Amino acid sequence: MSQDTPKVRLVVDSDRCQGHNRCNVLLPELIQIDDYGFAHVPGTGAVPPALAEKARLAVRNCPEFALKLEPITDEGRSA
């Protein structure tokens, strides 16, 4: 993987999400809010290196611990 290749993906645990939306405020580039106010990550959830720090901040600020970052393997899957 090159320096510009995402190394982690962002995942939302929909069972834990309570719709506080802090994550969307901190990382609107990757997190969308559905019609009911709950967060989801469209597509694969791959985090571009330029957004990695913002993604870590969003994970740390989720009061329900509904967000996590997972490593991406060379095949593009979560480890």
Side-chain angles (χ1 to χ4, degrees), residues 4-78:
D4 296 330
T5 304
K7 294 177 177 45
V8 293
R9 80 178 71 237
L10 186 64
V11 178
V12 177
D13 181 339
S14 59
D15 291 333
R16 289 180 172 251
C17 181
Q18 296 294 308
H20 295 284
N21 295 319
R22 291 180 186 181
C23 56
N24 179 259
V25 169
L26 295 168
L27 189 61
E29 301 90 341
L30 293 180
I31 298 174
Q32 295 179 352
I33 304 301
D34 68 16
D35 293 339
Y36 300 101
F38 298 105
H40 69 94
V41 180
T44 66
V47 178
L51 294 176
E53 185 55 37
K54 285 180 78 172
R56 286 189 288 272
L57 181 63
V59 169
R60 287 191 308 265
N61 277 274
C62 179
E64 305 300 334
F65 305 104
L67 295 176
K68 66 179 177 177
L69 291 170
E70 296 180 342
I72 296 176
T73 65
D74 288 336
E75 295 83 34
R77 297 185 308 264
S78 294

